[in-house]
């Protein structure tokens, strides 16, 4: 065999490089113009540099076999073998590594679905527009949302194959999302909000009451609330900094849903909720990988005494039973956010301030909640409109007789 080390194997009349890709150990002979590279000192030194570069590329996920070994039988075999749909689907999923784990998991579910429906061993070039339309149209989708979410993955897979000028041949061209009914917010009334919180205070651990009180009086998204830490609270200013979210399956990432940070003012009710949590979590410390912040999460599940994993437990074990006991029409627990927005608008709080609190643009806020703005103006807007439309005669009108 000869000498080996550092990924380089020196043989009697040739040099081989040894490396591992996707768990497979590969040994490739170095060649020049189709002939083995002689094991001279200069060539051996070159081989070591090449081996180091290959290891670096593999670590970065940027290794292309044909680039380093164009004369290899493996390269020729790969060139002759058509890429299967399954290969491209796996490659696309690997390329989503920058996304949060929860999002990658959801994309993984979609990729596995498409491989089953379309056939993972089918060459990706064999798919026609008609075939894909028939497959998608023939599947009994449980909802338009599922259909549209899964199409994100399928489009990504085919976009990797059909790039640049070849994009006109993409068989997914013209395949549209299913139309979705735009649902209006369905907030609770102030009376319903207060009844729910009173019921929770009577029937549940105070930590449940604190969680939902904070949600009602801040308008924060559930994924923001459950990721809030004591280090995010400025007690002097009465402000909370929203700088991370915890989403599907407990995955956590920096930023908010809109990938930005924001500061929100804490109302007295929200501050009271935090004070209730102090004996339970304030003095706890948590070691986090590559992070100096050891402050604990504020809110926790009273059963496990650990931070809330997501919003399902709160919804299923506390929110639903409370609404049922009170005879209140069913709404999602997320509607604590809608309730915050609509109560504030009906009270005359400026929309720009509400939007900043909730992490929305003013346009998005008005698109969703504009119908609640005039509910408490006691006819003032109508009177202003009437005044604006009143015809006031002037000299030119007197001369022409026209308005």
């Amino acid at each position: 065999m000869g000498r080996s080390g550092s990924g380089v194997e020196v043989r009697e009349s040739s040099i081989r490089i040894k490396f591992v890709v996707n768990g497979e150990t590969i040994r490739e002979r170095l060649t020049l113009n189709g002939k083995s590279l002689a094991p001279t000192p200069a060539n051996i030194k070159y081989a070591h540099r090449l081996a180091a570069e290959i290891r670096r590329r593999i670590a970065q996920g940027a290794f292309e076999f044909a680039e380093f070994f164009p004369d290899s039988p493996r390269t020729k075999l790969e060139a002759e073998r058509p890429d299967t749909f399954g290969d491209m689907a796996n490659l696309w999923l690997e390329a989503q590594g920058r996304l949060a784990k929860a999002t990658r998991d959801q994309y993984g579910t979609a990729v596995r679905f498409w491989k089953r429906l379309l056939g993972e061993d089918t060459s990706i070039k064999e798919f026609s527009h008609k075939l894909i339309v028939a497959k998608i149209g023939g599947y009994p989708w449980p909802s338009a949302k599922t259909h549209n979410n899964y199409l994100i993955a399928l489009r990504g897979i085919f976009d990797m194959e059909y790039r640049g000028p070849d994009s006109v041949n993409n068989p997914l061209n013209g395949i549209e999302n299913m139309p979705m009914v735009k649902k209006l917010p369905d907030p609770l009334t102030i009376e319903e909000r207060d009844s729910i919180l009173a019921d929770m205070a009577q029937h549940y651990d105070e930590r449940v009451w604190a969680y939902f009180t904070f949600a009602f009086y801040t308008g924060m998204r559930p994924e923001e609330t459950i990721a809030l830490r004591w280090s995010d609270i400025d007690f002097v200013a009465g402000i909370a900094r929203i700088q991370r979210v915890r989403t599907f399956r407990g995955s956590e990432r920096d930023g908010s849903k809109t990938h930005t940070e924001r500061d929100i003012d804490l109302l007295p009710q929200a501050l009271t909720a935090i004070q209730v949590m102090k004996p339970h979590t304030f003095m706890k410390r948590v070691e986090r990988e590559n992070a100096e912040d050891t402050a604990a999460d504020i809110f926790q599940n009273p059963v496990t005494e650990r931070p809330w994993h997501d919003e399902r437990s709160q919804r299923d074990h506390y929110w639903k039973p409370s609404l049922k006991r009170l005879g209140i029409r069913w709404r999602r627990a997320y509607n604590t956010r809608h309730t915050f927005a609509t109560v504030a608008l009906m009270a005359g709080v400026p929309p720009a301030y509400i939007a900043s609190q909730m992490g929305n643009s003013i346009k998005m806020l008005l698109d969703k909640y504009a119908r609640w703005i005039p509910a408490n103006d006691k006819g003032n807007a109508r009177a202003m409109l009437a005044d604006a439309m009143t015809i006031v005669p002037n000299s030119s009108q007197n001369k022409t007789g026209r308005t």
Side-chain angles (χ1 to χ4, degrees):
M1 170 73 67
R3 300 187 307 275
S4 67
S6 302
V8 175
E9 298 178 345
V10 180
R11 301 164 67 86
E12 184 176 346
S13 58
S14 64
I15 306 172
R16 292 196 311 193
I17 292 183
K18 175 184 173 183
F19 54 96
V20 178
V21 179
N22 297 326
E24 180 185 1
T25 300
I26 298 174
R27 289 180 172 87
E28 277 295 328
R29 182 169 53 93
L30 296 184
T31 61
L32 180 64
N33 298 324
K35 296 181 179 180
S36 295
L37 204 62
T40 65
N43 287 342
I44 293 172
K45 187 175 181 180
Y46 162 74
H48 282 287
R49 291 199 305 270
L50 190 66
E53 176 64 14
I54 290 173
R55 288 195 300 271
R56 188 180 70 84
R57 293 282 194 93
I58 292 172
Q60 293 177 341
F63 174 71
E64 293 288 344
F65 193 89
E67 178 183 355
F68 289 88
F69 305 104
D71 297 330
S72 169
R74 179 188 289 263
T75 298
K76 296 175 182 177
L77 181 64
E78 289 292 326
E80 294 171 357
R81 183 181 65 84
D83 285 324
T84 66
F85 175 74
D87 290 337
M88 291 301 296
N90 293 337
L91 188 62
W92 178 82
L93 192 58
E94 288 179 17
Q96 310 312 307
R98 67 189 184 280
L99 300 177
K101 182 179 182 301
T103 305
R104 293 200 308 273
D105 288 345
Q106 290 172 327
Y107 282 155
T109 300
V111 164
R112 289 189 292 274
F113 166 82
W114 289 119
K115 287 197 289 189
R116 290 193 303 270
L117 185 68
L118 301 180
E120 63 178 309
D121 293 328
T122 305
S123 170
I124 197 165
K125 292 295 188 182
E126 291 183 19
F127 289 103
S128 66
H129 178 80
K130 291 180 180 179
L131 175 62
I132 295 178
V133 167
K135 290 286 189 180
I136 294 175
Y139 186 78
W141 296 98
S143 67
K145 183 177 181 180
T146 301
H147 170 276
N148 297 345
N149 286 344
Y150 278 25
L151 272 184
I152 294 173
L154 189 63
R155 290 190 181 109
I157 294 166
F158 277 90
D159 283 346
M160 286 190 72
E161 177 65 21
Y162 294 91
R163 298 172 58 82
D166 199 28
S167 62
V168 297
N169 299 318
N170 191 328
L172 260 69
N173 291 341
I175 296 179
E176 305 292 341
N177 285 351
M178 279 187 182
M180 295 178 61
V181 176
K182 189 175 181 180
K183 294 184 179 181
L184 290 171
D186 192 9
L188 295 104
T189 65
I190 292 176
E191 293 76 18
E192 288 174 327
R193 177 198 67 192
D194 293 345
S195 295
I196 291 169
L197 293 177
D199 181 83
M200 289 179 170
Q202 179 182 353
H203 291 93
Y204 303 135
D205 186 287
E206 65 179 358
R207 286 167 282 188
V208 175
W209 175 89
Y211 172 85
F212 281 104
T213 297
F214 193 84
F216 269 122
Y217 283 94
T218 62
M220 286 172 57
R221 301 175 179 94
E223 60 267 30
E224 298 169 344
T225 303
I226 62 177
L228 197 66
R229 300 173 189 167
W230 288 106
S231 54
D232 300 325
I233 307 299
D234 183 336
F235 286 99
V236 176
I239 287 173
R241 172 154 294 184
I242 314 306
Q243 53 187 339
R244 78 192 64 80
V245 294
R246 185 174 303 135
T247 55
F248 180 69
R249 294 183 183 173
S251 176
E252 195 169 286
R253 66 166 174 80
D254 291 338
S256 65
K257 181 180 179 181
T258 55
H259 299 277
T260 58
E261 295 182 358
R262 72 183 189 278
D263 290 336
I264 67 169
D265 295 326
L266 296 177
L267 299 177
Q269 296 90 337
L271 287 168
T272 298
I274 289 178
Q275 292 296 334
V276 167
M277 291 305 305
K278 263 194 171 182
H280 301 285
T281 59
F282 186 70
M283 296 303 295
K284 288 189 174 182
R285 290 292 177 265
V286 179
E287 296 296 330
R288 298 182 176 92
E289 186 176 355
N290 300 324
E292 296 181 2
D293 184 5
T294 61
D297 291 0
I298 295 175
F299 298 101
Q300 69 173 196
N301 186 329
V303 176
T304 64
E305 297 197 343
R306 296 176 60 84
W308 295 105
H309 189 258
D310 51 32
E311 63 173 322
R312 287 175 293 183
S313 181
Q314 303 93 297
R315 175 192 66 208
D316 295 341
H317 296 119
Y318 306 109
W319 177 263
K320 284 183 178 179
S322 189
L323 264 62
K324 189 173 182 179
R325 270 193 303 271
L326 295 168
I328 293 176
R329 180 172 59 81
W330 162 250
R331 273 90 124 199
R332 295 191 306 154
Y334 189 91
N335 282 20
T336 56
R337 179 170 166 84
H338 296 324
T339 304
F340 173 86
T342 55
V343 169
L345 286 169
M346 288 189 293
V349 179
Y353 175 77
I354 301 171
S356 68
Q357 288 284 109
M358 299 181 68
N360 284 338
S361 66
I362 298 177
K363 180 181 183 302
M364 181 179 293
L365 183 88
L366 295 179
D367 284 347
K368 273 190 173 184
Y369 304 110
R371 60 185 296 213
W372 279 274
I373 293 177
N376 200 36
D377 76 345
K378 299 181 174 60
N380 291 335
R382 182 174 180 176
M384 291 172 64
L385 179 63
D387 289 342
M389 296 298 176
T390 299
I391 300 173
V392 180
N394 57 36
S395 57
S396 62
Q397 290 172 335
N398 290 338
K399 291 178 181 178
T400 62
R402 294 184 298 174
T403 60

